[in-house]
Amino acid sequence: MSLTIASILAESAVRHADRTAVVLGDLKLTYAQLWGHAKQYAQVLRDHGVGPGDKVALLLPNTPHFPLAYFGTLALGAVAVPVHALLKAEEIQYVLEDSGAKVLVCAAPLMGEGAKGAELASVPILGVMDSPGGSDSDASVPRIDNKAFEVQPIDAIVPREPEDTAVILYTSGTTGQPKGAEITHLNVMMNVVASSTTSFDIGPDDVVLGCLPLFHTFGQTCCMNTAFYVGASVVLLPRFDGAQALELLEKEKCTIFMGVPTMYIGLIEAAKTSDLRPKLKSAMSGGAALPVPVLEKFHEVFGTQVLEGYGLTETSPVATFNQVGFEPRPGTVGKQIWGVEVEVARAEVDERIELLPTGELGEIVVRGHNVFKGYLNKPEATAAAIVDGWFRTGDLGTK
């Protein structure tokens, strides 16, 4: 049985070929174009020795290069390892070594730390984008974006099993080194399907503002993958700025906004000195608790209700959401998504899960198709996190 999240883009390239997939400034790429280029990226990666199961690290901003490298990697049956764009060289070195990355795809603006990290880890680099200021500072780095135009696209996606690792996302735990969470093809696919069919109100006519970093699970799965699955357009904003986001929402006629609480605060602030009031169909918040006054103010200013959800990197990411079809309750993170169980357990009991009755405060535990495979090379950490089939979130909550 084969399943790959590369088919998210491959299918939409057939079903929504001429619809706009991504927008960055004046650049617009259709689904057919995006998938065609991604298959060319795949061929360049293949020429550099990347094959099924190999890890490809991605140090890229919110530009079309991200989905191109991401889906190019997945199309080969390889594993995407997105790297946080603010990491320093030694931290990048750690991710590259821990994941066993075969190559790093790095954007010119991030090359300062990226090249140092890759050198420390002895990992080859493929560059994208021109250096800021137009000068090509390091002509010795081969450019995957330029080479892609010179090659034939791969002819077929490499099949994967549902339980194969698709993406490794590094979580900055409170203690010690970051841990690489192994997310499977099934994890991502089910999260995307559940989000698009029963949680979010999203379809092919929607335009989503993509200002969440794509290297993060929220931006990657909820924004990019879910939008691509239904054939919606993603308007990319490489660096969030309230005023700029407000202008883009209006200019590109965005219907959906996804953000973390600080972004909502940024939009409310920007609205104080601007008359722009984009007509949003829905707004989704996650990543941290959204203060109810911010939620109310956003509704007052923009006329759109903010829907909150909850999840973690290890839950691929969505575990609960204020879903379509249920009356949203402000100040809550909604109901468990389709096919997932979310309960509250006794936090002080480590070796087993003891569920608590409704209304009691305890540790939130999650079970279902969204729970990750485990932490890469860390069996002890995995065993501590997944107990009796439940993932222990480390977060406190009540039902």
Side-chain angles (χ1 to χ4, degrees), residues 271-293:
K272 289 178 181 172
T273 53
S274 164
D275 298 331
L276 298 176
R277 293 295 180 270
K279 291 174 179 58
L280 290 171
K281 181 177 84 178
S282 65
M284 303 172 201
S285 180
L290 184 72
V292 173

Side-chain angles (χ1 to χ4, degrees), residues 173-174 179 310-315 319 342-350 353 361-366 372 375 381 384-387 390-398:
T174 43
K179 299 191 285 284
Y310 167 77
L312 305 94
T313 300
E314 293 90 340
T315 59
V342 180
E343 293 291 346
V344 175
R346 216 176 282 285
E348 58 278 8
V349 179
D350 286 340
I353 297 296
L361 180 72
E363 182 176 9
I364 300 171
V365 293
V366 182
F372 76 136
Y375 296 113
I386 303 174
V387 179
W390 293 89
F391 172 67
R392 310 188 70 130
T393 65
D395 293 331
L396 291 174
T398 51

Side-chain angles (χ1 to χ4, degrees), residues 19-334:
R19 281 186 182 274
T20 301
V22 288
V23 178
L24 178 68
D26 297 330
L27 176 71
K28 285 184 164 67
L29 291 175
T30 65
Y31 275 99
Q33 288 171 324
L34 192 68
W35 177 234
H37 289 323
K39 288 190 292 181
Q40 288 174 303
Y41 269 56
Q43 185 57 53
V44 178
L45 288 168
R46 185 176 271 169
D47 291 342
H48 280 79
V50 175
D54 286 335
K55 319 293 195 301
V56 177
L58 311 174
L59 184 53
L60 301 166
N62 277 25
T63 63
H65 304 97
F66 188 97
L68 289 172
Y70 179 87
F71 285 100
T73 296
L74 293 163
L76 291 178
V79 178
V81 185
V83 183
H84 195 300
L86 299 178
L87 295 188
K88 296 285 174 251
E90 290 75 18
E91 296 167 312
I92 294 166
Q93 173 193 3
Y94 170 78
V95 170
L96 295 177
E97 288 177 347
D98 187 69
S99 65
K102 187 135 195 182
V103 64
L104 169 66
V105 180
C106 183
L110 302 172
M111 199 64 88
E113 298 296 324
K116 275 184 263 179
E119 190 180 343
L120 290 168
S122 305
V123 171
I125 295 194
L126 287 169
V128 298
M129 300 165 68
D130 294 319
S131 307
S135 68
D136 206 314
S137 58
D138 193 1
S140 65
V141 174
R143 288 272 298 269
I144 187 172
D145 47 356
N146 293 345
K147 283 176 181 278
F149 288 115
E150 302 160 8
V151 298
Q152 284 297 314
I154 60 165
D155 51 2
I157 294 176
V158 175
R160 302 307 282 159
E161 295 291 319
E163 290 305 312
D164 284 341
T165 302
V167 187
I168 297 173
L169 295 167
Y170 278 81
T171 66
S172 48
T174 43
T175 56
Q177 293 282 23
K179 299 191 285 284
E182 293 193 70
I183 314 294
T184 67
H185 289 275
L186 184 75
N187 287 152
V188 175
M189 208 63 237
M190 288 301 296
N191 223 264
V192 166
V193 172
S195 294
S196 62
T197 55
T198 57
S199 296
F200 307 165
D201 178 10
I202 185 170
D205 296 326
D206 282 308
V207 181
V208 184
L209 182 64
C211 51
L212 290 159
L214 294 175
F215 57 73
H216 189 273
T217 181
F218 189 3
Q220 202 177 111
T221 299
C222 303
C223 180
M224 178 178 78
N225 283 331
T226 303
F228 285 179
Y229 176 71
V230 298
S233 301
V234 178
V235 178
L236 295 170
L237 178 58
R239 179 166 287 142
F240 184 80
D241 167 84
Q244 211 181 346
L246 192 56
E247 278 175 31
L248 266 184
L249 286 168
E250 182 74 33
K251 176 173 173 257
E252 299 296 343
K253 298 182 172 58
C254 293
T255 55
I256 296 177
F257 179 75
M258 294 188 196
V260 293
T262 51
M263 293 176 175
Y264 284 92
I265 294 165
L267 284 174
I268 292 166
E269 279 300 310
K272 289 178 181 172
T273 53
S274 164
D275 298 331
L276 298 176
R277 293 295 180 270
K279 291 174 179 58
L280 290 171
K281 181 177 84 178
S282 65
M284 303 172 201
S285 180
L290 184 72
V292 173
V294 175
L295 186 141
E296 289 169 345
K297 186 70 181 168
F298 191 86
H299 186 252
E300 180 194 318
V301 174
F302 294 101
T304 307
Q305 185 160 29
V306 183
L307 301 172
E308 273 196 274
Y310 167 77
L312 305 94
T313 300
E314 293 90 340
T315 59
S316 310
V318 190
T320 71
F321 192 72
N322 273 283
Q323 299 164 37
V324 175
F326 295 105
E327 187 60 36
R329 290 181 61 181
T332 75
V333 290

